[in-house]
Amino acid sequence: MGADGNIYALTQAADGTHLIGLAPNLASGQTQPTKVRDFKVSADCDYVLRPYKDGIALSYPHVDDRPKYYSYSGKYLGQASIGDWGSDAFGAEGRFFSPAYTWSGSNVKSAAVSMYDPRKGTTTWTTPVSTPGANVQGSLQLHTINNGVVAIIYEWKMVSDYIPVTPTEWVFTVVTLDNNGHEVRRVTLPNQDAQGTYQAASLASVADASGKVAFLRNMNLSTGDSANPTASGIFVGVYDAVSGTWFYQKIMSGDMSKAGGPNGYYLSGPPPVLTNNILAFVAQCDGNCSDYNPKLYAVKMTGIGMDYPRGAILSATVSAQPAPRSYMALGDSFSSGEGVPPFVDDTACHRSALAYSRVNALNPSLTLQLDKFVACSGAQTTHVLNGWNDADHSEPSQASVLSSGSPKVVTITIGGNDIGFANFAKACVLGNCNSSSAAYTEADGKIRNVLQGTWKRRIRSSWRSPRLQGQRSTFWATHRSLPISREAHSVIHGVATCTTTMRVKSALRDTHGQMHGPRGTS
């Protein structure tokens, strides 16, 4: 069930796989639920649905799982750059946590946790979680909580960093990270206590939003009977991974003195779940039992919530999500996001994962569906119109992408590189750029003699274009209403156009004024 209250499933249609949403309730006389969502997705029916507050993530059940995000309105929100099926975890806000492993030395395996933020479209941090020098066995268990993630690692017990105990002993280490990847707390779980020993590599867990983690561990309990010295049991404990305190600790044991030998219990079946104040899990009788069938058991404990993120998703309020509109981003470094790594492709264009076009497109509350992102750092007007091919660039005409689809929104910033704006700004910092300087005169001349003529011809050409049939009023109204501002940005609905020369000239004068005071001074 999604945070919007609808029930979601994948189905196969003639044109591919669709994600459908069904209303949860039947109206009077209905025999089938009402379909309220239906949109095509890039997936197949093997994918697993993982709801969060803004939409549905589709995970492929494979070791290289990289979830694909869709809003409830059908807007594609990108694909995670990390993934490890079976041991990854989602938060209610869509943050995706995945383990990462490295090997060193004598095949020593180390573990880290990475976080992908769907609102930024990038992996924002990776933090080591295994003890330095400890060998890790198997996969991590990860549990998201309101303010981060809890990682459970099965690793060597260590005397100190890089020094394991002798002989080798394996332990569970629990590490709490906040949403910024900073380690909050670390604790090692014991392998034995006064009542017995914990079985190796046996642990099931689940967490609520506040960071309370329920642990279930199979044990070998001491019976005190020399003929049958041990019996199976289950440790049930709740650890507060934020405060570092144990909230609850009990042992589920059988009849240790039963005639014919003791009996006990061991974990089986699916992972445990939490509802408010109740921990539910599946276990079986072991030893001298009359019934060995798995059974559902419930432990009541005041102060624990529903497992996260399920509880947060079911109680969430979903903001309005308008239907997506095709969006294309063209232009120069203002649009490409120069200087803001990471970059999404290995080109000199430096298209940033955090460029405004991508950030806006990743917001499920906005209509923008980024279908083309061709802005390129350093681009001039000719590169928008004719392409850019030299030793560092192999870029087709940016304007050509407009005919590759049906864009409803196009943004473009262009003109700064035509007038040598970088050289002008450099002169303001290192030299002189007042109104009588050579730098100012050169830039101002290019605005008057280069940009104005270029864009007047371009606007006339665009006005005659068949692509503007039915959109000319929007095109003309947009050009007449563009205000003078400091940002060299324009948003044009239906067609692509330019940043007006007035905007570039205004930015030129603003830069001069901010760096050197009123015009005419230095």
Side-chain angles (χ1 to χ4, degrees):
M1 178 175 283
D4 61 352
N6 297 316
I7 299 170
Y8 285 87
L10 292 171
T11 185
Q12 200 67 33
D15 63 342
T17 305
H18 283 232
L19 182 62
I20 61 171
L22 304 175
N25 300 314
L26 294 177
S28 177
Q30 272 190 311
T31 58
Q32 293 184 345
T34 301
K35 184 165 65 175
V36 293
R37 303 276 192 243
D38 187 346
F39 51 87
K40 187 177 179 181
V41 294
S42 178
D44 58 44
C45 289
D46 290 333
Y47 277 69
V48 176
L49 307 187
R50 307 174 83 168
Y52 67 106
K53 288 183 179 179
D54 289 336
I56 302 287
L58 305 181
S59 290
Y60 186 64
H62 186 271
V63 66
D64 188 28
D65 163 45
R66 293 188 299 126
K68 301 175 181 179
Y69 289 79
Y70 290 86
S71 72
Y72 290 114
S73 66
K75 177 179 175 179
Y76 178 60
L77 300 174
Q79 183 174 17
S81 51
I82 55 175
D84 184 57
W85 172 256
S87 56
D88 51 27
F90 274 88
E93 305 295 336
R95 297 185 185 95
F96 176 60
F97 300 86
S98 180
Y101 304 105
T102 56
W103 282 260
S104 62
S106 302
N107 235 7
V108 173
K109 178 182 176 183
S110 300
V113 174
S114 300
M115 189 194 82
Y116 173 83
D117 188 340
R119 284 296 187 99
K120 296 180 178 178
T122 185
T123 299
T124 57
W125 53 258
T126 298
T127 300
V129 290
S130 57
T131 304
N135 194 17
V136 174
Q137 187 179 100
S139 299
L140 304 188
Q141 293 186 41
L142 296 180
H143 297 294
T144 53
I145 58 178
N146 258 342
N147 298 310
V149 64
V150 178
I152 304 169
I153 311 109
Y154 194 53
E155 63 178 5
W156 282 343
K157 185 176 182 179
M158 308 294 284
V159 176
S160 60
D161 290 356
Y162 301 100
I163 304 177
V165 300
T166 303
T168 299
E169 185 178 346
W170 295 87
V171 292
F172 285 103
T173 301
V174 182
V175 179
T176 309
L177 304 177
D178 64 20
N179 275 329
N180 295 314
H182 300 142
E183 184 174 316
V184 176
R185 197 164 303 282
R186 175 182 294 262
V187 64
T188 298
L189 303 184
N191 280 339
Q192 63 182 31
D193 60 25
Q195 299 188 61
T197 60
Y198 296 95
Q199 295 179 13
S202 172
L203 183 146
S205 56
V206 63
D208 72 0
S210 69
K212 294 185 177 72
V213 185
F215 292 107
L216 297 163
R217 303 181 69 184
N218 286 325
M219 297 187 68
N220 295 319
L221 301 175
S222 301
T223 64
D225 182 355
S226 58
N228 300 282
T230 64
S232 297
I234 301 173
F235 169 81
V236 181
V238 178
Y239 172 73
D240 191 325
V242 177
S243 68
T245 58
W246 284 94
F247 177 74
Y248 181 95
Q249 294 184 84
K250 298 288 184 182
I251 292 177
M252 179 178 171
S253 60
D255 187 349
M256 298 289 191
S257 58
K258 186 176 182 180
N263 64 18
Y265 299 93
Y266 68 93
L267 295 170
S268 65
V273 297
L274 291 172
T275 59
N276 293 325
N277 299 321
I278 292 177
L279 168 65
F281 59 93
V282 175
Q284 292 178 242
C285 186
D286 182 43
N288 185 14
C289 307
S290 59
D291 184 356
Y292 294 94
N293 291 316
K295 291 183 172 60
L296 179 65
Y297 294 88
V299 178
K300 187 173 183 179
M301 51 187 76
T302 303
I304 196 165
M306 185 175 288
D307 49 79
Y308 188 83
R310 182 171 65 103
I313 292 170
L314 293 178
S315 61
T317 300
V318 179
S319 58
Q321 293 184 351
R325 294 189 297 168
S326 178
Y327 167 39
M328 297 183 180
L330 290 66
D332 51 22
S333 58
F334 282 95
S335 295
S336 73
E338 176 62 89
V340 190
F343 302 116
V344 297
D345 56 20
D346 186 24
T347 72
C349 286
H350 285 182
R351 298 182 180 107
S352 172
L354 300 175
Y356 71 82
S357 57
R358 280 180 53 86
V359 172
N360 287 334
L362 293 174
N363 187 338
S365 299
L366 299 179
T367 64
L368 304 178
Q369 172 76 66
L370 185 60
D371 291 326
K372 296 292 182 181
F373 178 31
V374 295
C376 188
S377 179
Q380 298 181 21
T381 303
T382 184
H383 302 135
V384 173
L385 304 178
N386 305 311
W388 192 355
N389 290 280
D390 60 20
D392 298 318
H393 301 83
S394 181
E395 297 290 322
S397 160
Q398 293 187 27
S400 67
V401 302
L402 301 177
S403 60
S404 65
S406 299
K408 300 301 180 184
V409 178
V410 176
T411 59
I412 181 170
T413 62
I414 203 68
N417 294 308
D418 294 70
I419 67 165
F421 185 77
N423 291 332
F424 176 81
K426 182 178 179 180
C428 291
V429 174
L430 301 178
N432 180 14
C433 65
N434 63 28
S435 58
S436 61
S437 68
Y440 188 95
T441 301
E442 179 183 2
D444 188 62
K446 288 182 178 180
I447 291 175
R448 297 175 184 278
N449 302 320
V450 178
L451 285 185
Q452 288 185 358
T454 298
W455 285 111
K456 282 180 180 179
R457 290 192 300 272
R458 185 57 179 168
I459 290 170
R460 291 192 187 101
S461 174
S462 298
W463 176 257
R464 300 187 185 99
S465 171
R467 287 179 55 78
L468 283 177
Q469 293 297 327
Q471 300 178 356
R472 287 180 177 173
S473 59
T474 302
F475 177 82
W476 179 244
T478 304
H479 273 283
R480 290 178 61 85
S481 63
L482 281 175
I484 303 295
S485 74
R486 296 184 181 182
E487 295 81 23
H489 296 167
S490 58
V491 180
I492 306 304
H493 296 270
V495 297
T497 186
C498 64
T499 306
T500 65
T501 57
M502 291 184 292
R503 282 176 171 237
V504 176
K505 194 168 183 179
S506 175
L508 188 71
R509 288 172 175 162
D510 287 337
T511 301
H512 165 266
Q514 291 167 11
M515 292 184 174
H516 289 274
R519 289 183 63 182
T521 67
S522 60

